[in-house]
């Protein structure tokens, strides 16, 4: 079984899609924060406008390799699908290209139920082989190495990079779950207030709009498609006036050819408030819907929490 062998890997639209400025995000280790710091407003926007980056995938996430290719610089790439990110682009999972150096194989890659999940915005995986430590994203899942004592302050895990430990207060053990409620979604989402938007971002180093809601719902055990254009096809349709906390709001606007397309999604918090990752070079925010351009662009409401009591 193949899986992601770096903290956060980008899935690119082709092996030729990355630019020189993206080099630090392509290696192993992936220097994600260095890469993000180097991007200015224009180079961030180009990830979207030029359709370069497709999505991101977290350490140890299983992937299926479909094809291998060498780019013009002699670097090896793999076309993969990510089963944990449903997409209409491929019924098997989200498709994209990843540097072969960022993939791993081995026992740490097994998709198992006995997994430890990072539930804080970031957590440090420590005492890896060769004394390495890695900063992991929210929702990274790693295999539990051995049972955890009640008073333990460390949890030992197996990863594609070897054995290490995570702070006990940063993770959920296999039998621990967040309540599937609107209050949980809001509490988790508000921890990312001020986080800068990243096109195709699907980690706590930067989310796009659909990546944020995809991750928040995954945290409470509800699997959504990766992209807003697919998310709108799921859940229960709700009239705009009947929306309640925990619903998703979808927005549309004309594309370059003048056709209305769904291009944004937000989490409804109640009392006319929504939480979202707005657009390029903006930041995750909570704001009023009424009186905004979003109120004019609202096209659909979808519900995933089954009862009012679940909010």
């Amino acid at each position: 079984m193949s899986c992601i062998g770096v903290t956060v890997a980008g899935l690119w639209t082709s092996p030729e899609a990355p630019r020189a400025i993206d080099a630090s995000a392509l290696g192993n280790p992936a220097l994600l924060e260095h890469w993000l710091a180097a991007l200015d407003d224009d180079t961030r926007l180009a990830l979207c406008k030029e359709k370069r980056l497709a999505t991101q995938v977290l350490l140890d996430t299983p992937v299926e390799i479909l094809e291998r290719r060498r780019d013009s610089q002699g670097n090896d790439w793999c076309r993969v699908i990510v089963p944990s990110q449903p997409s209409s682009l491929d019924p098997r999972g989200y498709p994209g290209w990843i540097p072969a150096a960022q993939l791993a194989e081995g026992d740490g890659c097994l998709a198992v139920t006995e997994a430890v999940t990072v539930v804080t915005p970031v957590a440090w995986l420590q005492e890896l082989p060769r004394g390495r430590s890695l900063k992991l994203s929210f929702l990274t899942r790693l295999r539990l190495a051995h049972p955890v004592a009640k008073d333990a302050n460390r949890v030992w895990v197996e990863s594609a990079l070897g054995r290490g430990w995570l702070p006990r207060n940063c993770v959920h053990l296999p039998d621990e779950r967040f309540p599937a409620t609107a209050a949980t979604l809001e509490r988790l989402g508000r921890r990312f207030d001020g986080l800068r938007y990243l096109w195709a971002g699907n980690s706590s180093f930067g989310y796009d709009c659909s990546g944020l809601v995809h991750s928040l719902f995954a945290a409470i055990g509800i699997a959504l498609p990766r992209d807003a254009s697919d998310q709108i096809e799921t859940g229960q349709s709700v009239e705009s006036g009947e929306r309640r906390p925990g619903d998703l709001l979808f927005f549309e606007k004309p594309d370059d050819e003048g056709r209305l397309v769904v291009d944004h999604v937000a989490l409804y918090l109640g009392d006319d408030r929504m939480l979202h990752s707005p657009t390029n070079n903006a930041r995750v925010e909570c704001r009023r819907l009424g009186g905004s351009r979003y109120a004019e662009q609202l096209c659909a409401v979808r519900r995933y929490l089954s009862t009012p009591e679940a909010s």
Side-chain angles (χ1 to χ4, degrees), residues 186 190 249 267-275 286-289:
E186 178 171 358
R190 281 187 171 275
L249 310 178
L267 174 68
Y268 187 61
L269 304 179
D271 298 325
D272 197 44
R273 300 170 302 132
M274 67 181 200
L275 178 80
C286 175
R287 63 159 301 143
R288 293 282 178 185
L289 176 62

Side-chain angles (χ1 to χ4, degrees), residues 11-80:
L11 255 64
W12 301 82
T13 53
S14 77
E16 291 73 35
R19 307 151 297 181
I21 198 171
D22 303 318
S24 56
L26 304 178
N28 190 343
L31 304 179
L32 191 70
E33 290 178 294
H34 178 82
W35 171 59
L36 293 173
L39 297 177
D40 60 18
D41 290 355
D42 291 338
T43 49
R44 278 178 174 261
L45 181 60
L47 291 171
C48 166
K49 291 293 186 181
E50 299 168 6
K51 297 296 183 286
R52 294 179 178 274
L53 192 62
T55 187
Q56 291 179 317
V57 197
L58 306 180
L59 176 67
D60 266 41
T61 302
V63 300
E64 180 182 345
I65 298 175
L66 304 178
E67 179 184 351
R68 298 177 186 269
R69 182 191 299 178
R70 184 162 292 177
D71 66 18
S72 58
Q73 305 300 314
N75 301 305
D76 292 325
W77 287 76
C78 295
R79 186 166 70 91
V80 303

Side-chain angles (χ1 to χ4, degrees), residues 75-127:
N75 301 305
D76 292 325
W77 287 76
C78 295
R79 186 166 70 91
V80 303
I81 54 170
V82 185
S84 59
Q85 295 189 28
S87 171
S88 61
L89 298 171
D90 192 308
R92 298 168 294 179
Y94 212 101
W97 289 88
I98 182 173
Q102 294 189 331
L103 294 175
E105 296 188 11
D107 291 342
C109 296
L110 297 178
V112 293
T113 55
E114 291 297 300
V116 171
T117 305
V118 173
V119 293
T120 48
V122 297
W124 283 92
L125 177 59
Q126 303 184 55
E127 292 191 30

Side-chain angles (χ1 to χ4, degrees), residues 10-297:
L11 255 64
W12 301 82
T13 53
S14 77
E16 291 73 35
R19 307 151 297 181
I21 198 171
D22 303 318
S24 56
L26 304 178
N28 190 343
L31 304 179
L32 191 70
E33 290 178 294
H34 178 82
W35 171 59
L36 293 173
L39 297 177
D40 60 18
D41 290 355
D42 291 338
T43 49
R44 278 178 174 261
L45 181 60
L47 291 171
C48 166
K49 291 293 186 181
E50 299 168 6
K51 297 296 183 286
R52 294 179 178 274
L53 192 62
T55 187
Q56 291 179 317
V57 197
L58 306 180
L59 176 67
D60 266 41
T61 302
V63 300
E64 180 182 345
I65 298 175
L66 304 178
E67 179 184 351
R68 298 177 186 269
R69 182 191 299 178
R70 184 162 292 177
D71 66 18
S72 58
Q73 305 300 314
N75 301 305
D76 292 325
W77 287 76
C78 295
R79 186 166 70 91
V80 303
I81 54 170
V82 185
S84 59
Q85 295 189 28
S87 171
S88 61
L89 298 171
D90 192 308
R92 298 168 294 179
Y94 212 101
W97 289 88
I98 182 173
Q102 294 189 331
L103 294 175
E105 296 188 11
D107 291 342
C109 296
L110 297 178
V112 293
T113 55
E114 291 297 300
V116 171
T117 305
V118 173
V119 293
T120 48
V122 297
W124 283 92
L125 177 59
Q126 303 184 55
E127 292 191 30
L128 287 165
R130 299 189 298 279
R132 290 183 299 167
S133 296
L134 289 175
K135 191 176 183 180
L136 303 185
S137 167
F138 176 62
L139 286 193
T140 300
R141 288 170 49 86
L142 304 175
R143 190 174 65 169
L144 183 64
H146 53 70
V148 180
K150 287 186 178 180
D151 59 348
N153 58 15
R154 298 179 178 184
V155 176
W156 286 89
V157 295
E158 297 283 359
S159 77
L161 304 176
R163 179 172 292 199
W165 62 266
L166 289 160
R168 174 66 180 91
N169 61 1
C170 291
V171 301
H172 272 179
L173 299 180
D175 60 347
E176 296 174 331
R177 301 286 186 274
F178 285 121
T181 67
T184 302
L185 291 170
E186 178 171 358
R187 177 170 61 85
L188 294 176
R190 281 187 171 275
R191 297 188 307 183
F192 300 109
D193 274 342
L195 180 67
R196 192 171 183 184
Y197 175 97
L198 177 67
W199 169 260
N202 200 39
S203 83
S204 56
F205 298 100
Y207 288 110
D208 65 9
C209 64
S210 55
L212 178 62
V213 299
H214 174 266
S215 296
L216 293 179
F217 275 84
I220 63 169
I222 297 176
L224 297 183
R226 169 61 180 87
D227 293 336
S229 57
D230 293 330
Q231 291 169 355
I232 196 173
E233 302 297 332
T234 64
Q236 174 191 349
S237 180
V238 176
E239 293 297 323
S240 177
E242 298 177 358
R243 58 182 181 261
R244 67 186 187 214
D247 291 346
L248 289 184
L249 310 178
F250 293 89
F251 307 88
E252 64 182 5
K253 64 182 181 181
D255 64 11
D256 293 339
E257 298 178 357
R259 298 174 300 182
L260 285 175
V261 295
V262 173
D263 80 327
H264 192 57
V265 60
L267 174 68
Y268 187 61
L269 304 179
D271 298 325
D272 197 44
R273 300 170 302 132
M274 67 181 200
L275 178 80
H276 68 149
S277 187
T279 187
N280 194 65
N281 300 324
R283 297 177 184 272
V284 174
E285 65 173 5
C286 175
R287 63 159 301 143
R288 293 282 178 185
L289 176 62
S292 71
R293 63 182 173 89
Y294 296 104
E296 300 174 357
Q297 296 170 355

